[in-house]
Amino acid sequence: MSNGRPYLIQSAVYDEVSGASVFVGLTLVCISGLCYILFSPALNLATNDQWNLLPPGVPNLVIYTAYFYFSTAFFFVAFTLNIIFLYFPILGLPKSSLMAWIKDWRLRPVALLAGFICGWGNALQFMGGQAAGYAAADSVQALPLVSTFWGIVLFKEYWWSSFKTPAVLTAMLLMFALAVGLLMGSAGTRKTD
């Protein structure tokens, strides 16, 4: 960092959206968190029917069918939101068009790779959740642990923080790893019918 500015402020993406409202950003993150909180229990209910919503004699969805519905819905929501945000962008980004999106292949292979990895990860997580319990499968994913690790190592998000920050982050990562280990260990006592 030649001029002493933090890593993210130097990036072009951050410069584009740095004038965006903090309120809008926090609102979007909270909505995203609610969606992530609800999708795993919804899939659990779809495959296990703990609330006995199905009529007697109707079998539960198998995990592969539930994953197909999940992926189909995910595709339609992602496609719709992308088209909307092309023409009505948020956070002060410039407008675009469908043709500009089709012609722009910068980093598209990386995004496609991320989608394939996410799809495989979700499929395996759902199958693991069916076998070991969804709480154990979700704990293995350890999103806060993994995202904080990538933020520190790959994206250098905390490199300009105070000297106390590495100690606090290390303690957080260790405690979260311990909690994930305890959750995974408790899955071994799960009763199966």
Side-chain angles (χ1 to χ4, degrees), residues 75-151:
F75 171 79
F76 284 116
V77 169
F79 184 79
T80 303
L81 287 178
N82 275 292
I83 297 298
I84 290 170
F85 290 144
L86 279 174
Y87 293 99
F88 305 102
I90 59 173
L91 303 175
L93 293 172
K95 286 186 178 185
S96 188
S97 67
L98 186 58
M99 287 311 294
W101 177 80
I102 291 171
K103 291 178 183 177
D104 180 16
W105 274 87
R106 292 174 298 167
L107 293 177
R108 183 93 40 102
V110 177
L112 288 170
L113 176 63
F116 282 119
I117 292 170
C118 182
W120 275 104
N122 277 332
L124 294 173
Q125 179 190 0
F126 297 157
M127 287 185 267
Q130 185 73 34
Y134 287 95
D138 287 342
S139 69
V140 170
Q141 202 174 25
L143 290 176
L145 180 68
V146 174
S147 62
T148 304
F149 177 78
W150 282 121

Side-chain angles (χ1 to χ4, degrees), residues 29-61:
V29 168
C30 288
I31 292 170
S32 169
L34 287 174
C35 291
Y36 273 109
I37 287 169
L38 296 175
F39 98 84
S40 186
L43 191 79
N44 189 359
L45 285 170
T47 57
N48 295 324
D49 192 31
Q50 290 95 335
W51 293 348
N52 300 317
L53 298 174
L54 293 173
V58 175
N60 296 343
L61 285 177

Side-chain angles (χ1 to χ4, degrees), residues 61 64-74:
L61 285 177
Y64 312 109
T65 306
Y67 181 64
F68 173 78
Y69 288 128
F70 169 83
S71 299
T72 304
F74 192 96

